[in-house]
Each structure stands twice: as C-alpha cells, then as structure tokens.
Amino acid sequence: MQGAELAELSIFLTVAHLRSFSKAAVERGVAPSAISHAIRKLEQRVGVRLFHRTTRSVALTDAGERFLADLTPAFGQIGAALEGLNAFRDTPFGTVRINLPSAIAPFVLKDVMGPLLAQNPGLHLDVVATDRLIDIVEEGFDAGIRFGERLSQDMVAVRIKPSLRFAVVGAPNYFARTGLLPPKSPEDLKQHECIRYRFPSGAIFNWEFSRKGESLEVDVDGPLTLDGQELMVEAALQGCGLAYVWDNRIMKHLEDGTLIRCLDDWCAPDDGLHLYYPSHRHLSAGLKALINVLRA
C-alpha cells in the first residue's frame, strides 16, 4: 500500500468518526477541499460510495459502515505497533488526543503544555476544548477531562489537579442599580437578577452550593442567558446581574474591586476533576506522560 492510499484511509476514519468534512479538516489541519478530494479519490479507487453528503450533514452509507468496522481494528494494530516502539525510546512519541470543557481548559492546561512537550519532544498533543458533551470513544479521543460525578462506569478515572472553585460575583453598579444587598444565602438569589448559563444541549445550568455537608441547587432566573463564561464575566462587569463562574477567571476583577464576591462560604472547592479513558483501551506512553504532568 502506498503512502497516499494510507493517508486516504486515515482521512476516511477521521471523517467517519466526526461525521463532518469541515471538522475533519480542522482536526487534520488542512483545507476542507483537501478532505473532499481525498474521500472522492478513495471512493473512486474502491468503486463504492462511502458517505451520504448534504449541505448540512454527513452520514456513512451501509458500505461505509462496513468499511469503518473492518478498518478500525487494522489502524488500531498500526497504532499499537507504533506504541510498542516507545519501549525502545527515552521519551514517548505519537499523538495524544484529549477533550475537555472549554470553560476550564485554560486553568487545567495552563502549566501543563509547556513542560509536557519540553520533556517529550516526540509527542504531539491534540486538544479539543468544547462544552458539548463528548463520547470520547465514538469521536476518536484517547482521553477526556471531566468532573468525576459525570463519568460512566466503563471508564478508568484518574484524579488530577488543579482544584477548581466557582464564585458568585456582581459589580458594584449592579447593586447600586437594583438597591439590593449581596446575597447572604443561596435562597437570597431568588431576589436577584442572575446571568444564566446554557449548555450546548440547551439545558440550563443550576447553580450548585455546599457548606458543612449541606448541598443544594438553585434554579436562578434573570434577563440574560449566555453560553460562555467569558461573556458571563463581561455581562457581570456591565452590571447585568450576578454571575456564577470559575473564580480563576475573575481574580483580577476581585482585586481591583470591579467585581464583588458573594456567598464565599457556600462555594467549596471541587476536587473531583478527573482524566478518564476507556477501560478496554491500552494506556499509551504518551497518555501516561500527560497523566503524570496533570497529577504533579
């Protein structure tokens, strides 16, 4: 098999896992036209249509589904063969693909990427940060990062750092505009205008609190619903309402007084951050190196 044919098969797997030509192009760092050209050449070579394409969706044909099922183990064996060479190297090489929520990605990876790549020059780290709920097996990731209570039982979970914490914050001009005092308990939030967060699924996030063994959720309300914490911080700074965000994002605003922290004693650190991977998957040398840095 020539290198060009092998590349086409690899591109087929990427498109099949992502169900998108454009996402596959981003994943592989090439133009969408290059992905389309490779798939078209592959279909011409095998004489079978592998994908149903519309302007909005990509789906495998029956032949494509069969081809994917037959091809995946073969590429798994190639990956295992390459992984076996790590036993003869001082440092691991190859690609490690991970997924984690975009809201926490900057804090989790802040002090990780530089040391990891410096210590392992043959390693390529491929990170996809999104708040969309990801099936790491279906979408071809080696591992994901998520909070432990949201993990399925067929995953191996490794607790990692850092310890993250939410904060309820509001701007002085919000309290001046509304005439309200900062909330003293989570129940007081019912009187306040709160900036709500919507998950990519459409679900609204309830604010979660705990203190001295007591835990509760509050279904807050307010005139503004957003889908990103950066916008939520900006809205809070403009006096739109109270925001519930990771406190790493608002430290400088707390220090300069442009935001005021509320309910501090109800916002406990969350130590449940985990890296997880399928229990049936071999733990590669590259993934081991990533775990070691994340736990340090």
Side-chain angles (χ1 to χ4, degrees):
M1 181 180 293
Q2 298 180 355
E5 295 174 345
L6 191 61
E8 289 170 5
L9 295 177
S10 179
I11 289 172
F12 165 78
L13 288 176
T14 304
V15 176
H17 285 304
L18 298 178
R19 297 296 197 270
S20 168
F21 280 60
S22 58
K23 289 180 181 179
V26 173
E27 170 70 24
R28 300 184 69 89
V30 299
S33 58
I35 298 294
S36 297
H37 179 68
I39 295 299
R40 188 163 53 250
K41 284 188 63 178
L42 177 60
E43 288 180 328
Q44 290 172 352
R45 191 191 313 279
V46 299
V48 175
R49 177 176 284 274
L50 300 173
F51 292 99
H52 296 297
R53 308 167 179 78
T54 70
T55 55
R56 294 187 176 182
S57 66
V58 173
L60 286 164
T61 64
D62 290 343
E65 291 282 7
R66 172 66 180 272
F67 194 44
L68 175 64
D70 291 341
L71 196 60
T72 298
F75 267 74
Q77 290 178 356
I78 292 173
L82 291 171
E83 176 61 30
L85 295 177
N86 277 318
F88 299 91
R89 290 171 49 88
D90 295 330
T91 61
F93 77 102
T95 298
V96 176
R97 296 190 71 231
I98 66 166
N99 163 261
L100 74 168
S102 56
I104 64 173
F107 319 128
V108 175
L109 299 178
K110 177 183 176 182
D111 300 317
V112 168
M113 295 179 287
L116 177 68
L117 298 179
Q119 296 166 15
N120 304 281
L123 193 64
H124 179 86
L125 182 63
D126 186 347
V127 179
V128 175
T130 175
D131 290 331
R132 181 171 63 89
L133 193 60
I134 292 287
D135 183 327
I136 61 171
V137 176
E138 181 178 329
E139 301 203 19
F141 290 95
D142 296 295
I145 293 175
R146 203 180 295 172
F147 288 96
E149 69 272 13
R150 299 180 178 92
L151 298 181
S152 59
Q153 294 183 347
D154 59 343
M155 295 290 168
V156 175
V158 180
R159 189 183 296 273
I160 61 173
K161 296 180 179 180
S163 176
L164 299 176
R165 185 180 187 226
F166 271 108
V168 178
V169 294
N173 59 353
Y174 163 74
F175 295 109
R177 173 176 64 82
T178 61
L180 296 171
L181 295 174
K184 299 295 185 183
S185 71
E187 289 80 7
D188 293 342
L189 293 171
K190 295 293 185 181
Q191 306 168 18
H192 284 267
E193 299 171 8
C194 297
I195 302 164
R196 304 194 305 168
Y197 173 77
R198 176 184 287 113
F199 289 108
S201 66
I204 299 298
F205 176 56
N206 289 340
W207 295 11
E208 302 172 348
F209 301 97
S210 64
R211 185 180 70 171
K212 298 179 181 179
E214 179 184 1
S215 298
L216 54 89
E217 293 186 8
V218 179
D219 181 11
V220 298
D221 196 11
L224 188 59
T225 301
L226 301 171
D227 66 351
Q229 290 210 355
E230 187 173 349
L231 269 179
M232 294 173 71
V233 173
E234 183 58 38
L237 289 168
Q238 294 181 26
C240 298
L242 300 182
Y244 186 63
V245 294
W246 296 111
D247 68 354
N248 307 62
R249 286 187 177 273
I250 42 85
M251 285 300 183
K252 65 178 182 179
H253 301 301
L254 295 176
E255 292 169 359
D256 63 21
T258 52
L259 289 177
I260 298 170
R261 188 192 292 268
C262 311
L263 301 176
D264 188 28
D265 57 338
W266 279 96
C267 297
D270 194 327
D271 296 319
L273 194 62
H274 290 76
L275 179 142
Y276 66 101
Y277 58 92
S279 57
H280 64 270
R281 176 166 293 177
H282 172 69
L283 185 60
S284 70
L287 187 53
K288 287 179 184 177
L290 174 63
I291 290 173
N292 289 337
V293 175
L294 285 169
R295 297 182 70 182

